[in-house]
């Protein structure tokens, strides 16, 4: 054996073979270790993905009416496989996923924060998560929602309450719920709380859900919510005539919203603010800023407490030698928008017209004029502002033109007699067309331009001729219908095109050849999120396009518009339904279009297609409550 061993040791080939085997074994071991690490990493990633999906599964079960506290692990894992395509976990893995899911859905901050209870008021009814930016929906239900979730809902259903599914006549509005946001922020702080403090806070949260201002008013008596002693002292000094105290009061209000309610409830604050603003000293700017903050944070109906400040603020915007004070006064007046009639009676319109000539102040001045027009569009005091606003639109001032167009739209819509005068302002239609063509970069400008065009077109046909001649085509309006993201802008542009198509025969042909038929047809479909206003505008457009024009009737039939029109006709009574009936009655004048309408209405034939009278009778059966009169064609080709 010794000789053999020595022979083996002295064999270089055998030694090299053993070295290669050793290196190969170490390589295999390293590869195995790497593969095991990869499998473990992949397994951990799958586990993390399942843990992220588990709360969504619990949310689905909850939306079906299941009690969260009684949801089983098997139900959670079943939903994971059914809705998210995840293989159903088994054993300990399923148990851990179910436990984490229930923990997250009961207390989303329990994974990293200290609070052990989750108030129901903190959870958004749409996302089932704690709200980051709560907003108060102005409906009878009176609930708060996460801002982004509510915006997505209202984009699809602008008039429907997400909780009760109740339909409202006007689009729903919402406002920030600052009181609830502050309560959520306090709750998320890792602080130890006594049982009594939790009970008190929950009572305040229920009040905050009913009204955003309730919690602010209730916090007046809580010393830990704001430095109420310092605030009360400063307010007393300010009311007694110590004008320098307004700066300290402004700081206290700017840092705590709750203090605004306390100041508004104090006696003599409005008179003291008016006195300081009228003095035009170093503290007048701070007083105007305080009025702005108080006006923004006052609840609806409380603006009257600051009514005495309107006169000195209007007087302040007359003197342009102090641009900082003028700017602060404009911002304060904008927050006191409900007092618009008082501002106009005090001569605010003339002062604002003068400010439109100053480049640094034209935008806030035009914005305030737009707010005044929205509140008091029929006021005769606004007549002096029409031409200056029109020149602002014509000059294409990018900062102020949207507000100028908005103000003009409100005035013209409520005073059709002034539409001819506004239409004669030099280059106004060129400016409006430029706003329409810039809708990709400035979508709000395009919306306000379309609104103003609708108001001008409704007043007189001459404005339509002036617009088409000035713009050279209807491409600006067509671009808004095709590319705008805002449904309201599409609706306004479609209505303007309906006005143009119904005015003259040559305009009717131009609109039909612009390629806008199919984009406007999409407004008729429910899946595009169209509301009744959009459907009505689209139906009006097709009435104007098909009226007496056989070629356009054939285009509408071949573009797939008949199906959505008939679908609206067969729905429950609605605003666009009678207009849709008129459009269909125009379409059945064309033979091919009549066949398409008859097919969608359920007619069956073999050799002889249904007659126009038969199709018209079927439309009358579907819409017995309203049999629209067909418009008559005049000698110049209009209807």
């Amino acid at each position: 054996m010794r000789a053999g061993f020595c022979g083996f040791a002295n064999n270089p080939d055998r030694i090299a073979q053993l070295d290669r085997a050793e290196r190969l074994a170490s390589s295999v071991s390293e590869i195995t270790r790497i593969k095991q690490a990869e499998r473990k990493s992949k397994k951990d990633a799958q586990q993390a993905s399942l843990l992220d999906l588990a709360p969504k599964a619990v949310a689905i079960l909850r939306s079906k009416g299941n009690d969260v506290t009684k949801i089983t692990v098997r139900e959670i894992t079943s939903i994971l496989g059914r809705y998210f395509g995840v293989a159903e976990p088994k054993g300990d893995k399923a148990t851990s996923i179910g436990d984490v899911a229930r923990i997250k859905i009961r207390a989303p901050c329990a994974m990293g924060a200290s609070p052990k209870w989750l108030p129901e008021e903190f959870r958004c009814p749409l996302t089932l998560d704690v709200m980051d930016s709560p907003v108060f929906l102005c409906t009878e239900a009176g609930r708060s929602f996460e801002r982004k979730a509510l915006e997505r809902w209202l984009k699809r259903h602008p008039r429907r309450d997400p909780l009760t599914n109740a339909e409202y006549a006007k689009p729903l509005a919402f406002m920030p719920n600052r009181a609830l946001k502050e309560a959520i922020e306090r709750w998320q702080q890792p602080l130890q709380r006594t049982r009594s403090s939790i009970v008190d806070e929950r009572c305040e949260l229920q009040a905050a859900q009913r009204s955003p201002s309730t919690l602010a008013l209730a916090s007046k008596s809580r010393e830990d919510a704001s430095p109420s002693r310092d605030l009360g002292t400063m307010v007393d000094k300010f009311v007694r005539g110590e004008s320098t105290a307004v700066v300290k009061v402004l700081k206290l209000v700017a840092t705590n919203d709750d203090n605004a309610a306390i100041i508004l409830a104090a006696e003599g604050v409005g008179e003291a603010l008016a006195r300081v603003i009228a003095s035009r000293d170093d503290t007048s700017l701070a007083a105007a800023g305080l009025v702005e903050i108080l006006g923004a944070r006052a609840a609806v109906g409380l603006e009257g407490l600051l009514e005495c400040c309107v006169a000195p603020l209007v007087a302040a915007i007359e003197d342009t030698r102090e641009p900082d004070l003028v700017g602060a006064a404009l911002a304060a007046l904008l927050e006191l928008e409900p007092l618009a009639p008082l501002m106009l009676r005090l001569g605010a319109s003339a002062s604002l017209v003068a400010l439109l000539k100053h480049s640094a102040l034209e935008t806030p001045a035009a914005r305030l004029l737009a707010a005044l027009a929205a509140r008091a569009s029929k006021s005769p005091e606004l007549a002096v502002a029409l031409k200056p606003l029109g020149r602002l639109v014509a000059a294409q001032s990018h900062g102020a033109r949207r507000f100028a167009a908005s103000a003009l739209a409100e005035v013209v819509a409520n005073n059709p007699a002034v539409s001819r005068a506004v239409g004669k302002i030099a280059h106004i239609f060129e400016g409006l067309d430029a706003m329409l063509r810039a809708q990709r970069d400035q979508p709000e400008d395009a919306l306000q331009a379309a609104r103003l065009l609708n108001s001008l077109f409704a007043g007189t046909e001459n404005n339509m001729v002036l617009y088409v001649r000035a713009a050279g085509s209807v491409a600006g309006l067509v671009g808004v219908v095709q590319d705008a993201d805002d449904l309201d802008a599409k609706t306004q542009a479609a209505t303007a095109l309906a006005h143009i198509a119904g005015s003259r025969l040559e305009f009717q042909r131009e609109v039909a050849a612009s390629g806008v038929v199919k984009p406007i047809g999409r407004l008729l479909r429910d899946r595009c999120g169209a509301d009744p206003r959009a459907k009505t505008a689209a139906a009006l457009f097709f009435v104007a396009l098909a009226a007496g024009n056989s070629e356009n009737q054939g285009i509408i039939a071949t573009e797939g518009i008949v199906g959505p029109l008939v679908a609206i006709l067969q729905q429950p009574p609605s605003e666009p339904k009678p207009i849709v009936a008129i459009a269909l009655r125009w379409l059945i004048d064309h033979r091919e279009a009549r066949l398409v309408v008859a097919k969608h209405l359920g007619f069956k034939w073999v050799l002889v297609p249904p007659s126009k009278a038969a199709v018209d009778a079927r439309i009358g059966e579907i819409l017995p409550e309203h049999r629209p009169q067909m418009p008559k064609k005049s000698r110049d080709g209009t209807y």
Side-chain angles (χ1 to χ4, degrees), residues 333-346:
L333 288 172
L334 189 62
E335 296 298 342
L336 300 179
E337 175 189 341
L339 303 175
L342 175 60
M343 299 180 200
L344 292 173
R345 288 197 301 269
L346 293 172

Side-chain angles (χ1 to χ4, degrees), residues 13-321:
D13 294 336
R14 186 62 176 168
I15 293 174
Q17 184 179 10
L18 288 176
D19 290 340
R20 287 195 300 271
E22 185 177 356
R23 288 196 299 270
L24 178 62
S26 63
S27 299
V28 171
S29 177
E30 180 66 18
I31 292 173
T32 303
R33 186 184 65 79
I34 293 174
K35 287 186 176 181
Q36 288 177 349
E38 289 179 350
R39 284 196 295 269
K40 185 176 184 302
S41 176
K42 186 176 181 180
K43 183 178 179 181
D44 293 341
Q46 291 176 348
Q47 181 80 356
S49 176
L50 290 175
L51 293 180
D52 291 336
L53 291 174
K56 298 181 180 180
V58 178
I60 292 174
L61 291 170
R62 179 177 181 175
S63 66
K64 294 183 177 182
N66 294 353
D67 187 356
V68 176
T69 60
K70 298 180 180 179
I71 291 177
T72 64
V73 174
R74 185 174 183 82
E75 290 174 330
I76 296 173
T77 55
S78 175
I79 290 294
L80 286 174
R82 187 186 311 170
Y83 287 86
F84 302 103
V86 178
E88 185 171 340
K90 303 292 184 181
D92 296 339
K93 187 176 181 181
T95 303
S96 63
I97 290 175
D99 291 342
V100 171
R102 285 195 294 268
I103 291 172
K104 282 192 174 184
I105 201 65
R106 291 176 186 172
C109 69
M111 306 300 290
S114 60
K116 298 181 180 180
W117 58 276
L118 174 60
E120 191 65 27
E121 295 85 356
F122 289 171
R123 181 179 288 139
C124 173
L126 295 176
T127 64
L128 300 179
D129 290 330
V130 177
M131 291 178 278
D132 293 328
S133 179
V135 293
F136 181 81
L137 184 62
C138 302
T139 61
E140 295 178 357
R143 282 299 302 270
S144 292
F145 300 83
E146 176 63 35
R147 178 185 289 273
K148 292 183 179 179
L150 184 60
E151 287 176 346
R152 287 194 298 269
W153 171 271
L154 294 179
K155 189 174 182 180
R156 298 191 303 269
H157 313 288
R159 290 184 173 86
R160 185 181 301 172
D161 188 327
L163 280 182
T164 63
N165 279 332
E167 291 283 349
Y168 290 84
K170 296 182 179 180
L172 299 178
F174 59 85
M175 58 186 297
N177 194 339
R178 297 187 180 91
L180 185 58
K181 181 177 177 64
E182 290 179 358
I184 293 175
E185 290 174 351
R186 290 198 300 270
W187 174 78
Q188 289 175 334
Q189 295 174 356
L191 301 175
Q192 296 296 329
R193 303 178 179 192
T194 62
R195 182 175 182 179
S196 60
S197 66
I198 292 177
V199 172
D200 292 342
E201 188 168 351
R202 297 205 63 165
C203 293
E204 291 181 359
L205 292 173
Q206 294 172 0
Q209 281 289 72
R210 292 192 297 271
S211 171
S213 62
T214 306
L215 187 58
L217 294 173
S219 64
K220 288 169 56 179
S221 60
R222 294 185 56 174
E223 294 184 358
D224 59 343
S226 64
S228 56
R229 293 181 180 177
D230 294 340
L231 180 61
T233 303
M234 290 301 104
V235 171
D236 290 339
K237 291 181 179 179
F238 176 55
V239 172
R240 288 199 302 266
E242 189 176 330
S243 59
T244 55
V246 70
V247 179
K248 295 182 179 180
V249 173
L250 177 60
K251 291 180 179 179
L252 291 173
V253 174
T255 55
N256 194 325
D257 287 353
D258 296 351
N259 292 334
I262 300 176
I263 295 176
L264 287 171
E267 295 183 3
V269 171
E271 292 78 3
L273 286 169
R275 184 176 63 251
V276 175
I277 295 172
S279 66
R280 306 289 183 87
D281 57 13
D282 296 338
T283 58
S284 297
L285 186 61
L290 182 55
V291 173
E292 177 190 357
I293 294 176
L294 294 177
R297 298 176 184 177
V300 177
L302 293 182
E303 299 88 354
L305 298 174
L306 302 171
E307 183 175 346
C308 55
C309 299
V310 174
L313 287 171
V314 171
I317 65 176
E318 297 176 358
D319 188 0
T320 57
R321 292 175 298 180

Side-chain angles (χ1 to χ4, degrees), residues 601-622:
L601 288 175
F603 279 88
K604 296 181 180 179
W605 66 90
V606 179
L607 298 176
V608 181
S611 64
K612 177 181 176 181
V615 178
D616 183 79
R618 179 66 61 86
I619 294 174
E621 292 173 3
I622 298 176

Side-chain angles (χ1 to χ4, degrees), residues 2 19 49 77 236 250 293 316 402 444 452 473 475 495 501 511 581 610:
R2 184 176 180 86
D19 290 340
S49 176
T77 55
D236 290 339
L250 177 60
I293 294 176
R402 74 176 64 171
E444 184 64 24
L452 178 53
S473 67
T495 305
V511 172

